[in-house]
């Protein structure tokens, strides 16, 4: 339960960052059957953005930006296709896959980074 609460808080930080960047949030934790889940779906102008949110504690593991492996990128592409199929097809600007990385330091506020077009 505590882990879910932490993950939810990190997604709140990511959603706020994307909204402050001018994006419109369309969905959070959107599931497509057994294919998996998209953490955040947003619109950036005429582009649909599928956003993965990854959180790491500072110093213990690899940086969250290293989390999108080729396997993960393929899964995110399949999920993006599923989203488009269920929501009217591809928008004029296409689809972009972004990553929001959250690093939790031992002290102080989390560091939140947004990388566009990671896959």
């Amino acid at each position: 339960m505590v882990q879910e609460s932490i993950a939810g808080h990190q997604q709140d930080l990511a959603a706020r960052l994307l909204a402050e960047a001018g994006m419109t949030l369309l969905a959070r934790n959107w599931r497509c059957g057994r294919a998996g889940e998209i953490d955040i779906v947003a619109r950036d102008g005429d582009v649909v953005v599928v956003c993965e949110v990854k959180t790491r504690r500072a110093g213990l593991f690899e940086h969250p930006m290293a989390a999108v492996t080729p396997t993960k990128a393929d899964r995110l592409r399949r999920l993006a296709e599923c989203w488009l199929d269920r929501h009217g097809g591809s928008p004029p600007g296409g689809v972009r896959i972004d990553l929001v990385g959250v690093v939790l330091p031992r002290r102080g506020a989390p560091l939140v980074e947004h990388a566009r077009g990671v896959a």
Side-chain angles (χ1 to χ4, degrees):
M1 188 71 163
V2 172
Q3 190 67 22
E4 287 180 21
S5 173
I6 291 170
H9 178 66
Q10 306 323 318
Q11 279 194 14
D12 291 343
L13 291 173
R16 188 174 324 130
L17 178 74
L18 297 175
E20 288 172 358
M23 294 186 200
T24 302
L25 300 180
L26 303 175
R28 287 179 59 174
N29 302 315
W30 184 83
R31 294 199 62 78
C32 182
R34 292 182 182 199
E37 179 178 278
I38 299 173
D39 293 332
I40 298 174
V41 181
R43 191 177 66 241
D44 186 10
D46 63 352
V47 176
V48 168
V49 178
V50 170
C51 187
E52 180 77 1
V53 179
K54 288 294 181 186
T55 303
R56 300 288 187 266
R57 296 206 179 274
L60 293 180
F61 300 102
E62 69 183 5
H63 193 277
M65 294 297 182
V68 179
T69 63
T71 301
K72 173 72 91 174
D74 287 344
R75 186 182 65 77
L76 290 170
R77 285 187 202 99
R78 284 192 308 276
L79 285 165
E81 288 175 18
C82 187
W83 168 268
L84 294 175
D85 287 346
R86 294 185 184 182
H87 292 88
S90 188
V95 178
R96 185 177 77 225
I97 298 174
D98 289 4
L99 174 70
V100 173
V102 180
V103 177
L104 303 173
R106 288 180 184 235
R107 295 183 188 167
L111 174 63
V112 184
E113 299 177 63
H114 176 208
R116 297 170 182 254
V118 298

